[in-house]
Amino acid sequence: MKIFVCVKHVPDSAATIRIVEPNEIDETVTFLLNPYDENAVEAAVQLKSEDDDSEVIAVTVGKPAAADTLRSALAMGVDRGIHVITDHWPDSIVTARALKAAIVQDGDSGLILTGKATIDSEGFQTQFRLAAALDIPVATNVGAITRHDEGVIVTCGLEAGDEQVIRMAMPCVIGAAKTLNTPRYPTLPDIIKARKKAINEVEIESLGIESPDSQMEIVGLRPAVEARRKQIIDGPPREAVAELIRRLDEEVKIKLR
Amino acid sequence: MNKKYDAIVIGAGVIGTPIAYELAQMGYKTLTVDKLPDAGMGSTAASCAIVRAHYSTEDGVAMAYEGFKYWLDWENYLGNVKDEKGLAKFMNTGSILIKSQGHDWRKVKKNYDAVGVTYEEWSVEKIKEMVPAYDLHEFWPVRRPEDPTFFDESTRMLEGAIFCPEGGYVNDPELSAHNIMRAAETRGSEFIFNVEVVAIRDNGERVTGITLKDGTEYDAPVVVNVAGPHSYKINRMAKGVWEGCNIKTKALRHEVMHCSSPEGYDYLNDGYHTSDGDIGCYYRPEVGNMFLIGSEDPECDPQEWVDPDDFYAGKGGLGRDNQLTEAQWKAQSYRCARRVPTMTIPNQPRGVVDLYDCSDDWIPIYDKSDLPGFYMAIGTSGNQYKNAPVVGAVMAELVDKCEKGLDHDQDPLQFKLRHIGHPIDVGFFSRKREINYNSSFSVNG
C-alpha cells in the first residue's frame, strides 16, 4: 500500500515575519516542515511499521527551497519524496489539484495523510479539496487512527472537547491533529540516510492541471496585532497568586482546582 | 548639585557587579548604572556560564582556576547575603577536554601542572565508560554541513581526554549577577536601572562623571566601563580613550543551540561539560535534559559583527534579535551529533542568540585608559564569565592602586590571586598591547 503524506514548507513559528509590500513575506527566515504535518509523517511511518508492504511517500507543492522540508520528512522515516515545483504560492485550489495530479501520476494511493492545518495560511481547505478532487472521504483533526478491515477508524476532535468516531473506506484523506502522536525527531544518521533517498522533481506546468474558474489572490498582508489587556496583581506573592487563581477561575473560567 | 560617588560602574552584568562589590568592600561609595531593568539581563543572561580551567596561557588557567574557588564557595563570597530571587547554583559536573587537533591540549596540561589544577587523563576507553553516548572517532578538521565531506565516515579514533573534576557551569548566569548586586548593596553600593549613559564628562585632566539620557549627571573621579557589547560605544564617549586603545572591541553575534538528550540518557544529571575542539563545539547539560551546544568559532564559520543597539532593538520585533539562522543551527547541532549520534535534532531550531564583546585578539582588556580615572573591563569575548569574581578583585585593586599613584602602564600591577596564591601580571590585559598571536582567537581564550 502506498501512503502519501502531503507536507508544506512554512516559516518557523518562532520567526519574526516581515512583510515585503504588498503581499509577500521576507523569505530569509527559517522555513521548516509544517508542525501538523510532522504528526502526519509520524502516523504514516507508524502505519508502515505495522505493514511491511507499505511505502510512505511525502509530496509537497512549493518553491525549490521546499526540498529541505521533504528532506526533513525523509529523515523522519519517509521512503521517498515528490516535489511539485512552482515559483508561486498557489492557493488551496491549485495546490489540491497539483497534489492530486502528482499522487495519481505516482500510482494508486491507499491512504493520504496531511496536517489538519498549515501554520502559515491556516486555510483549512487543502485536505478537503484534495479529497473532493479524488472523490474520496476525508476526516480532519484526527487524534487516533486504527486499521479496520479494508478501511480505517479515526477519532476526530470536535469543538467543546467532544470526539467523533468515524469509519472510512480507503483510500481516504486524514488530517492529523497534534494529539495524534509525538513526532520522532531524527538523529544525524537518519539525516545522513535521508540525503540519499530519492526526490522526484515535477514542474507544476507538466502536470496539466486544469485552471480553475476562479482563484484566490493575496492582495495585501498586514501584521496581526493582538491587543493585550494587562492586569497587574500587587501584593505579597502568596496573596497575589491566590488572587490570580480566583480571577482565572471566576473571570476567565479556567478550572484550576 | 550633582550627586557624588567615589566610583561609577557602567554595566550591571556579571563583570560589573563584582567590580562594584569589591570596590565597596575597599570603602568606595559606588554607583552602578545599567540600560536594562535589572542586574545580569544583558549578554550575561545568555552566557553558557561554563566554568572550566583550560586556557592557552598559564595566567589564563590560573585566573580560571581561581574563579572555581569562588563558585565553589558562592554563599561565603556573597557574605551569606539573602537574595529574594534565590542563589545561582554551581553545577559541578566536571569538565572534559577532548584531546584533539582543535585544542592545544599539551599546552593546557603544562599550564595545569604549573598552576596545580587537579585533573585526570582519560583514555578513549575511559571516556566510553563514563559517557557511553559519545562516538569517539576523530572528525577533524571542523567542517560545515554545506561541505559534502562533512558526512564522511571516520575510521580514525581520538587520543583521549583531560578531565577536570572541579569544572562545570552555573545554572543561572543572570541570577549570579543579581546575587552579587545584592551582596554589593549590603556594603552600600547603589544601582540604578533603565538608564542610558550618553556622555562621559571630564575636566580636561581627568574624568569627572557621567551624563544620562534624561540629562541627569552623576559625578565621580572614577568611572569603569563594563558595558559588555556596548563597550566600544562607551569608550568613544570618553575623551581620547578609544583612540588610546591599541586593542579595540566590537560586538559579535553568537548562537547556541538546544537539542534533546538521547532517549535513556539522563544528560542533565549524569552528563559532563565537554570542550570538543575536534568538532568545534562545547556542550553542557541544560534544563529539560537538553544539550546546550556552543561554538568554538572554527575558521570555516562566518562571523557577524553587529551594532549592539540594532541587535537589542530586535530585527522587526521586540527584544533582542534572538532568531537562530538555519545554517548555523544545522552546523552546530550536526557537529555535536557527530559526537553524540543518538541525540535527536528537532525540525524547529531552538536556542539562544546574543552578543560577545570581542577584542581584536579575543583576550579581554582589564586596564586603565588614556583618560585618568577612566578604567575598563571589556572585550570579554565570550570566555570570561567564569572569571567574573576574580576580575572584580583585580579591577578593584587596579583602580585603587592607580588612584594612589601607580603608573600601571610603566610598572604593571602584579596581582596575587587570593585563593591559589598565583601571581598575575595584569599588564597582560593592557589596552596598549600588540595583538597576542598566542591567543586561540576564539571563545576558548
Side-chain angles (χ1 to χ4, degrees), chain B residues 76-241:
Chain B
N76 281 327
Y77 168 63
L78 300 172
N80 296 297
V81 72
K82 292 273 175 285
D83 187 325
E84 73 286 1
K85 291 189 175 179
L87 291 188
K89 201 171 165 205
F90 177 49
M91 313 299 277
N92 184 198
T93 59
S95 181
I96 297 173
L97 171 65
I98 298 283
K99 289 181 180 174
S100 74
Q101 299 188 53
H103 275 282
D104 195 345
W105 59 268
R106 289 176 188 86
K107 211 195 269 178
V108 168
K109 200 171 142 224
K110 205 175 99 227
N111 295 335
Y112 274 5
D113 287 332
V115 174
V117 175
T118 309
Y119 68 93
E120 297 163 18
E121 290 212 57
W122 283 5
S123 64
V124 166
E125 292 70 35
K126 175 76 177 174
I127 306 173
K128 197 74 198 163
E129 181 197 325
M130 301 306 283
V131 203
Y134 288 2
D135 173 345
L136 295 164
H137 281 93
E138 186 187 36
F139 299 106
W140 184 262
V142 182
R143 286 174 280 227
R144 296 187 63 80
E146 295 88 322
D147 175 351
T149 63
F150 176 91
F151 298 97
D152 288 354
E153 293 291 322
S154 168
T155 50
R156 295 162 291 146
M157 294 304 286
L158 289 170
E159 266 186 76
I162 299 177
F163 177 67
C164 178
E166 288 171 285
Y169 65 97
V170 175
N171 69 341
D172 188 338
E174 181 178 323
L175 183 58
S176 65
H178 195 272
N179 292 161
I180 306 171
M181 173 178 72
R182 287 285 179 256
E185 284 169 338
T186 64
R187 304 302 179 106
S189 280
E190 291 177 35
F191 290 80
I192 304 180
F193 292 99
N194 296 309
V195 292
E196 189 179 336
V197 174
V198 293
I200 309 288
R201 287 175 290 110
D202 65 85
N203 61 8
E205 287 180 7
R206 60 175 297 123
V207 74
T208 55
I210 59 168
T211 305
L212 304 180
K213 202 174 186 177
D214 68 0
T216 310
E217 295 186 343
Y218 294 105
D219 292 347
V222 170
V223 173
V224 192
N225 176 6
V226 204
H230 289 88
S231 69
Y232 75 95
K233 295 204 168 194
I234 297 292
N235 270 2
R236 280 179 177 165
M237 291 178 196
K239 200 165 72 189
V241 167

Side-chain angles (χ1 to χ4, degrees), chain A residues 41-206:
Chain A
V41 168
E42 177 62 35
V45 174
Q46 282 183 17
L47 286 166
K48 181 191 148 117
S49 70
E50 294 160 13
D51 176 4
D52 287 345
D53 292 335
S54 293
E55 184 187 24
V56 180
I57 305 125
V59 194
T60 196
V61 180
K63 296 182 180 180
D68 287 351
T69 274
L70 281 178
R71 291 280 169 216
S72 296
L74 296 173
M76 291 172 72
V78 168
D79 296 308
R80 60 186 172 88
I82 301 172
H83 186 177
V84 179
I85 297 174
T86 163
D87 289 334
H88 305 98
W89 287 110
D91 71 358
S92 58
I93 306 175
V94 173
T95 303
R97 289 182 183 187
L99 287 170
K100 176 197 165 185
I103 290 170
V104 168
Q105 196 178 65
D106 198 79
D108 289 340
S109 56
L111 201 55
I112 300 171
L113 289 149
T114 71
K116 73 160 186 175
T118 52
I119 62 164
D120 56 350
S121 55
E122 289 194 312
F124 302 96
Q125 294 185 36
T126 305
Q127 59 201 307
F128 302 108
R129 293 186 183 279
L130 174 60
L134 288 163
D135 199 20
I136 58 176
V138 55
T140 194
N141 203 22
V142 169
I145 306 172
T146 19
R147 294 288 301 272
H148 175 75
D149 295 338
E150 292 307 301
V152 286
I153 293 176
V154 296
T155 308
C156 308
L158 301 178
E159 280 187 32
D162 287 343
E163 287 182 338
Q164 188 177 38
V165 179
I166 301 173
R167 190 165 67 211
M168 292 193 291
M170 295 205 302
C172 60
V173 177
I174 293 173
K178 277 268 142 209
T179 50
L180 181 57
N181 49 44
T182 305
R184 72 192 71 190
Y185 289 120
T187 61
L188 187 63
D190 294 331
I191 291 168
I192 294 173
K193 224 181 286 167
R195 289 162 48 84
K196 299 193 179 104
K197 291 182 181 175
I199 293 180
N200 179 21
E201 294 181 350
V202 186
E203 294 292 337
I204 196 164
E205 294 78 17
S206 75

Side-chain angles (χ1 to χ4, degrees), chain A residues 9 12-18 29-33 38 68 72-73 76 184-189 191-192 195, chain B residues 145 148 150-151 153 315-317 323-326 330 334-335 337-338 341-350:
Chain A
H9 191 56
D12 183 354
S13 59
T16 303
I17 303 295
R18 272 186 301 176
V29 296
T30 299
F31 275 66
L32 38 74
L33 173 60
E38 288 183 342
D68 287 351
S72 296
M76 291 172 72
R184 72 192 71 190
Y185 289 120
T187 61
L188 187 63
I191 291 168
I192 294 173
R195 289 162 48 84
Chain B
F150 176 91
F151 298 97
E153 293 291 322
K315 204 185 261 181
Q323 289 177 23
L324 303 175
T325 51
E326 199 178 342
K330 283 189 177 160
Y334 286 13
R335 281 172 187 155
R338 295 238 66 167
T342 47
M343 183 175 88
T344 55
I345 302 169
N347 293 322
Q348 183 176 39
R350 287 185 231 162

Side-chain angles (χ1 to χ4, degrees), chain B residues 245-293:
Chain B
C245 289
N246 198 41
I247 301 288
K248 304 280 199 271
T249 57
K250 48 188 176 170
L252 178 66
R253 191 176 174 282
H254 234 264
E255 306 185 1
V256 295
M257 319 306 179
H258 294 150
C259 282
S260 299
S261 176
E263 216 178 303
Y265 180 30
D266 186 359
Y267 184 56
L268 184 62
N269 292 305
D270 300 341
Y272 301 89
H273 157 247
T274 304
S275 286
D276 196 338
D278 184 50
I279 52 170
C281 285
Y282 63 89
Y283 32 97
R284 70 148 170 94
E286 179 59 303
V287 172
N289 204 21
M290 306 287 268
F291 271 74
L292 187 156
I293 308 162

